[in-house]
Amino acid sequence: MPSRPAGARPGPGAGADFPDDFLWGSATSAHQVEGGNTNNDWWDFEHDPATAARESSGDAIDHFHRYFEDFALLSALGHNAHRLSLEWSRIEPAPGEFSRAALAHYRRVLTALRDEGLTAFATLHHFTRPRWFAARGGWLAPDAAATFGRYCARVTAELGDLMPYVCTINEPQMIALHGYLEGYHPPGVTNPILWKRAGDALLEAHHTAVSAVRATSDAQVGLAVQLPLLAPAREDDACVAFCEAMRYEIVDRYLDGVDGDWLGVQYYRKQWVDPSSPTRFAAPPPGTPLTQMGWAVHPDGLRQMLHRAARASLPLYVTENGIATTDDAERADYLATHLAALAQARAEGVDVRGYLHWSAFDNFEWSEGYRPRFGLIAVDRDTFTRTPKPSAYAYARVARTGRLDALAEQEST
């Protein structure tokens, strides 16, 4: 009997919690790991002392040059899928001007991913916009959807053969919320009217992108949405009604408006909504377990939001889920409780076909800089040395066996 190749998983066998064809992996985004993405609005935001950004992304973790070894490491850790993004500002550095060098680079990246046996989930827009696109009004420009569609069509025409799964936009509702209501991300606006207008524009851009992808490739196209579990801070009528309104704006309008072949669910936390708060959200109740980001850990929220996402009537993939912590034992516990919630949702009939942990590596966390540690793999930012954490090996055991109890097993030599 031939030996099993490195990174391959056995069949589920007796006692498996997930089927053999379940996709297991992790996620990254270009700006957070590549380094040197100087032609986008985030680079400008990071270098403006008036913004919420703590530091520059700089060289990030130099994934732009180290992708080959990174994919080999992920494959060795039992992953059979990986989510990454393509940097729009590299591919289209000026309006209508497409870089052959950048497209060739991403062909090499996607080829390396395929050759390591990792199924690609390629995101076309993960928060960063080309500087020229932002200067023209970003998502509020009248031709924003058409401009984005042109970029999507070019990318999938050139690279679609290497992208079995394509995500149009990462977390459109968080782009709108953080960028146009909270001012926490570019363009740093705090305007409730523009917040809703940006949401409309992003949904239009998603629909335009779906048409562009389908016209130029055979890729399965979808959308990745962050779905926090929202609850009223108080049980009075006004607070409950406000919570329902916020749930519609952040969650349901995107589930009802999605177009595509699949839906990515990204879950991190429970949030309490409060109309009397200037931020519209209340602090978690005292004693609530919190991450480095101050986010409330609530594992059953993943199960609940998978059920809510099922209203889209599409196959679901968990495209992000993870914890910012310097305590890796806490990360292993987070994995155990959230994967159990995922398994329960599947047992209850929700069609979930894969889990991509956020994130593969400790990396640049937007306005929070490098302080939060989300990665399964630590990175020395002076030498760029990669070091898998114990949680990475625990996750590998689940990926290889499909069994939740493998998390607690001892790593063999």
Side-chain angles (χ1 to χ4, degrees):
M1 184 175 183
S3 61
R4 187 180 304 122
R9 290 180 293 123
D17 300 287
F18 296 91
D20 191 41
D21 60 355
F22 197 77
L23 293 178
W24 295 100
S26 58
T28 59
S29 86
H31 192 74
Q32 293 177 269
V33 296
E34 284 184 345
N37 281 323
T38 62
N39 192 36
N40 65 42
D41 60 342
W42 260 98
W43 186 266
D44 291 339
F45 194 75
E46 294 158 25
H47 291 83
D48 183 347
T51 72
R54 292 171 180 259
E55 61 183 313
S56 166
S57 55
D59 291 326
I61 63 167
D62 196 33
H63 178 74
F64 189 86
H65 300 105
R66 299 167 189 264
Y67 62 87
F68 188 86
E69 65 191 68
D70 286 343
F71 297 155
L73 178 55
L74 296 175
S75 178
L77 288 168
H79 299 203
N80 61 14
H82 184 68
R83 179 168 174 247
L84 75 170
S85 74
L86 312 184
E87 177 58 31
W88 183 2
S89 69
R90 288 186 188 270
I91 293 171
E92 191 179 3
E97 181 180 322
F98 291 91
S99 167
R100 293 184 181 277
L103 288 165
H105 168 79
Y106 285 117
R107 173 160 287 277
R108 292 191 295 271
V109 169
L110 292 164
T111 299
L113 196 67
R114 180 198 63 192
D115 290 350
E116 287 293 344
L118 298 167
T119 298
F121 283 74
T123 302
L124 299 178
H125 173 61
H126 195 124
F127 287 178
T128 55
R129 289 157 287 239
R131 184 178 279 145
W132 59 263
F133 182 79
R136 289 165 51 171
W139 294 112
L140 299 182
D143 63 345
T147 301
F148 183 60
R150 177 184 66 193
Y151 154 72
C152 295
R154 182 62 179 267
V155 170
T156 50
E158 296 269 359
L159 304 174
D161 59 309
L162 293 169
M163 300 189 298
Y165 294 89
V166 168
C167 170
T168 59
I169 300 172
N170 177 74
E171 298 183 357
Q173 75 276 56
M174 295 305 158
I175 295 173
L177 180 70
H178 296 332
Y180 294 88
L181 185 63
E182 298 176 332
Y184 184 60
H185 285 188
V189 173
T190 55
N191 185 310
I193 296 174
L194 295 184
W195 167 45
K196 295 182 181 182
R197 191 178 298 169
D200 292 337
L202 284 155
L203 279 171
E204 180 188 0
H206 164 67
H207 287 285
T208 301
V210 168
S211 298
V213 172
R214 286 177 168 166
T216 53
S217 77
D218 295 324
Q220 296 288 298
V221 61
L223 180 70
V225 290
Q226 188 183 142
L227 303 181
L229 177 65
L230 300 181
R234 298 176 304 281
E235 292 302 321
D236 60 82
D237 291 346
C239 193
V240 170
F242 186 73
C243 182
E244 289 299 321
M246 289 293 286
R247 183 178 291 115
Y248 172 76
E249 291 293 342
I250 295 175
V251 174
D252 291 344
R253 72 181 299 206
Y254 295 90
L255 296 179
D256 296 341
V258 68
D259 181 22
D261 305 303
W262 58 275
L263 178 66
V265 173
Q266 310 195 164
Y267 174 80
Y268 289 98
R269 58 172 163 169
K270 182 175 182 178
Q271 287 182 278
W272 287 264
V273 176
D274 185 351
S276 67
S277 167
T279 66
R280 295 170 177 78
F281 297 101
T288 303
L290 302 178
T291 74
Q292 276 186 298
M293 301 287 287
W295 296 350
V297 178
H298 190 83
D300 192 60
L302 175 57
R303 181 190 67 83
Q304 294 180 53
M305 297 316 294
L306 286 168
H307 275 282
R308 197 168 193 93
R311 67 191 285 165
S313 299
L314 294 170
L316 304 180
Y317 296 87
V318 176
T319 43
E320 287 186 26
N321 172 243
I323 181 173
T325 179
T326 57
D327 181 352
D328 195 58
E330 188 177 21
R331 177 172 292 103
D333 182 66
Y334 185 98
L335 271 166
T337 55
H338 286 74
L339 290 178
L342 169 57
Q344 185 177 349
R346 281 179 43 84
E348 293 165 350
V350 182
D351 183 12
V352 189
R353 302 183 183 184
Y355 176 88
L356 304 173
H357 186 77
W358 184 270
S359 64
F361 305 94
D362 288 338
N363 57 206
F364 179 74
E365 188 52 40
W366 307 111
S367 286
E368 296 295 323
Y370 287 96
R371 180 185 62 88
R373 305 297 175 90
F374 276 96
L376 294 167
I377 300 166
V379 179
D380 183 317
R381 292 191 57 229
D382 291 326
T383 64
F384 299 117
T385 301
R386 276 72 163 142
T387 305
K389 303 173 186 178
S391 60
Y393 294 109
Y395 182 53
R397 293 192 294 272
V398 179
R400 291 190 178 109
T401 66
R403 291 177 20 244
L404 289 175
D405 60 9
L407 275 168
E409 293 176 358
Q410 293 297 312
E411 188 70 17
S412 60
T413 58

